[in-house]
Amino acid sequence: MALKSNSLDGRTLEGGGQLLRLAVSLSALTYLPINIYDIRANRAPRKASQPAGGLKAAHLAAVEWLARATQADTEGMVKGSRKLDFRPLQRSQYLPKEKIQPSVWQEIYDGSRLVRRETAIQLDSPGSVCLILQAILPYLLFHSPETAKTEVGQKVTGVPLRVTINGGTNVSKSPSVEYISQVLIPLLVDKVGIPPITTQLIKRGWSSGRADVGTVQFDLMPFASGSKLTEFHFTNRGEVTRMHVSILAADAAARSTLRKKVIERLLATRPEVEILFPVDEDTKNGTRLYLLVVAETSNGYRLGRDCLWERKSHSSMLETVANAVTKDLEEELQRGGCIDEFMQDQLVVFQGLARGKSVVDSGKEMHGTLHTKTARWVAERLLSLTFDERGGCEGCGFEVGENFLDRKQTERVVQDPSGELEDLRIS
């Protein structure tokens, strides 16, 4: 019995790019066909003459990559589209040679030994590199290629992957490459249990000032075929022991002033904390200013707050930025959670894919940001999950390399032998 597309209303909850990214990501991984309508309909246009919502360049880049990776049949995969049909090629399907898309991967050999697979995603504008990574990371980690050889005739798993993405590294309303490398990846590796990921910033890309496209390279090892991610528990945050301060500003004097102001404010509330400066960089442009402060705890958790200054520069802006970031971080820490509010939605897909119940303590009165609730809504519908009031979730126990669609179809037959509910429509 064929499973029809899961239809998702793009206006739901946050109604932005988060819904699109996670839905296409899970579709690519599980082979579940999806249809999204009214994409990003809750996003206001930049100009009154433009239509609201639709696919932007960065969304399109991620969708196109996943479509090529899964040989998906698509409709609406164009810039500005408010509707997308995404149907990954099923393992049992035959695809005529003329319809096969070029592989997203280039295989790198040392003699006859396959040492790495490489892929690249190119943007001509500073769309967020980190949001593109967010969309494709579950597929990179959990998808098991059916044929991987290191030597002629020898099948293996666990070939390292190198992903190079051109776009923006410091972009408005998006996680920065510093946040990704200092907060997201350490938590995913050390606390969730994914394989290590290394990040190399080749060139910085900005949305502020003159738009500039950058490049970031990610190296990772996917999960081995047949493995499952074990449930994880984000509890007992511990005491704040270190603060990591990353400063990007136009000249040494500005960076020195900002450093002093941040130190003064951090020590005012936490006099015993150790303060480190992993990034101190000249942006060579007076319109570009970025500050990230990351709190590290005795139990290995990391919480961050940042500010990308995009308004007109003035004499008091350094103090304004220092006050805003340190105040927001301290308020975050006072809630007592193990993660900051911008990390919440990043964990949802891993909760959904894990085996067992994963629990994330987000702190007092933090039962989910709008982005988090949107991510949970998508995961619940595509993976047949339920998140409790505290954000806990019994995952689906996704097995690397499994045909999840077969599992889903079997469940449907058991639950609906007559087939009357075959068309899944989600709103």
Side-chain angles (χ1 to χ4, degrees):
M1 180 178 63
L3 188 66
K4 293 185 179 180
S5 291
N6 297 267
S7 189
L8 301 167
D9 185 345
R11 299 166 296 181
T12 304
L13 295 169
E14 179 260 345
Q18 166 73 309
L19 189 155
L20 169 78
R21 285 188 297 273
L22 182 55
V24 177
S25 179
L26 288 176
S27 174
L29 184 61
T30 62
Y31 299 96
L32 291 169
I34 60 171
N35 163 264
I36 310 174
Y37 59 94
D38 287 329
I39 293 172
R40 299 181 62 250
N42 293 356
R43 292 290 178 266
R46 288 189 176 182
K47 298 180 181 179
S49 59
Q50 296 175 336
L55 290 171
K56 294 178 69 175
H59 306 119
L60 187 59
V63 172
E64 286 178 337
W65 189 91
L66 288 168
R68 284 180 57 199
T70 61
Q71 297 292 315
D73 180 25
T74 65
E75 289 185 27
M77 195 171 64
V78 294
K79 188 175 180 180
S81 175
R82 287 168 54 94
K83 181 178 179 180
L84 176 69
D85 289 317
F86 191 92
R87 305 182 69 89
L89 180 71
Q90 307 305 314
R91 291 181 175 179
S92 58
Q93 284 182 295
Y94 168 76
L95 194 64
K97 185 176 180 179
E98 64 272 13
K99 290 189 176 182
I100 297 176
Q101 302 179 65
S103 173
V104 295
W105 297 108
Q106 178 184 3
E107 297 188 336
I108 308 301
Y109 286 85
D110 180 5
S112 61
R113 185 172 65 92
L114 177 60
V115 295
R116 187 173 62 248
R117 286 192 174 92
E118 296 184 354
T119 190
I121 298 177
Q122 307 279 348
L123 275 179
D124 296 326
S125 59
S128 174
V129 163
C130 301
L131 291 181
I132 293 175
L133 177 70
Q134 180 191 86
I136 68 174
L137 185 58
Y139 183 85
L140 295 173
L141 290 170
F142 290 91
H143 174 72
S144 177
E146 294 189 31
T147 56
K149 300 179 181 180
T150 53
E151 295 182 4
V152 177
Q154 180 184 4
K155 292 186 178 181
V156 299
T157 58
V159 177
L161 306 177
R162 174 168 292 172
V163 181
T164 303
I165 307 177
N166 285 8
T169 60
N170 298 82
V171 179
S172 175
K173 299 179 182 179
S174 302
S176 69
V177 68
E178 282 74 35
Y179 183 90
I180 292 294
S181 59
Q182 295 182 39
V183 181
L184 175 66
I185 290 176
L187 287 176
L188 291 182
V189 173
D190 299 336
K191 295 299 184 180
V192 174
I194 73 167
I197 302 176
T198 60
T199 303
Q200 181 181 357
L201 174 61
I202 297 173
K203 181 179 181 293
R204 201 171 287 281
W206 296 87
S207 61
S208 56
R210 181 178 59 84
D212 201 5
V213 176
T215 304
V216 185
Q217 180 177 286
F218 301 96
D219 285 279
L220 66 147
M221 179 73 76
F223 283 108
S225 181
S227 62
K228 295 183 179 182
L229 177 65
T230 305
E231 77 274 6
F232 50 91
H233 301 88
F234 281 44
T235 56
N236 188 19
R237 186 182 74 190
E239 298 299 320
V240 176
T241 57
R242 292 187 180 125
M243 293 287 189
H244 303 262
V245 181
S246 298
I247 298 174
L248 288 78
D251 55 65
R255 296 198 303 280
S256 177
T257 299
L258 187 54
R259 186 184 308 115
K260 290 176 183 178
K261 291 182 180 298
V262 171
I263 291 173
E264 177 184 309
R265 284 152 182 77
L266 292 178
L267 293 181
T269 54
R270 299 180 181 270
E272 303 301 321
V273 75
E274 179 184 6
I275 303 177
L276 305 174
F277 295 86
V279 179
D280 188 308
E281 184 178 317
D282 187 351
T283 64
K284 305 184 188 306
N285 187 317
T287 62
R288 293 171 177 169
L289 173 65
Y290 176 75
L291 173 66
L292 168 69
V293 182
V294 176
E296 181 183 355
T297 77
S298 55
N299 287 335
Y301 293 101
R302 287 174 171 242
L303 300 87
R305 279 291 182 158
D306 65 354
C307 176
L308 176 66
W309 185 264
E310 293 189 299
R311 285 160 282 179
K312 185 177 179 180
S313 299
H314 54 77
S315 58
S316 63
M317 71 174 181
L318 297 177
E319 184 170 5
T320 300
V321 170
N323 286 342
V325 173
T326 54
K327 177 178 178 290
D328 288 349
L329 180 58
E330 183 58 32
E331 290 177 353
E332 188 79 71
L333 293 171
Q334 290 298 326
R335 283 195 281 266
C338 295
I339 57 172
D340 61 65
E341 66 173 285
F342 301 108
M343 186 68 195
Q344 287 183 28
D345 64 304
Q346 311 285 323
L347 295 176
V348 168
V349 65
F350 298 100
Q351 289 181 268
L353 294 172
R355 175 185 58 195
K357 185 173 183 177
S358 297
V359 177
V360 177
D361 181 1
S362 301
K364 294 179 291 185
E365 300 178 1
M366 286 297 290
H367 304 316
T369 64
L370 194 57
H371 276 81
T372 303
K373 292 175 181 177
T374 304
R376 290 172 182 167
W377 180 84
V378 174
E380 285 179 338
R381 280 145 184 82
L382 295 185
L383 300 179
S384 301
L385 309 171
T386 301
F387 283 82
D388 61 32
E389 293 182 356
R390 296 293 299 174
C393 170
E394 186 79 29
C396 72
F398 185 86
E399 181 177 310
V400 178
E402 78 163 301
N403 190 333
F404 187 82
L405 182 60
D406 284 350
R407 188 209 296 193
K408 191 84 170 179
Q409 288 177 309
T410 300
E411 292 173 355
R412 292 294 312 285
V413 170
V414 172
Q415 297 171 6
D416 180 32
S418 67
E420 292 178 358
L421 302 178
E422 182 180 352
D423 187 5
L424 297 184
R425 191 160 189 84
I426 302 170
S427 59

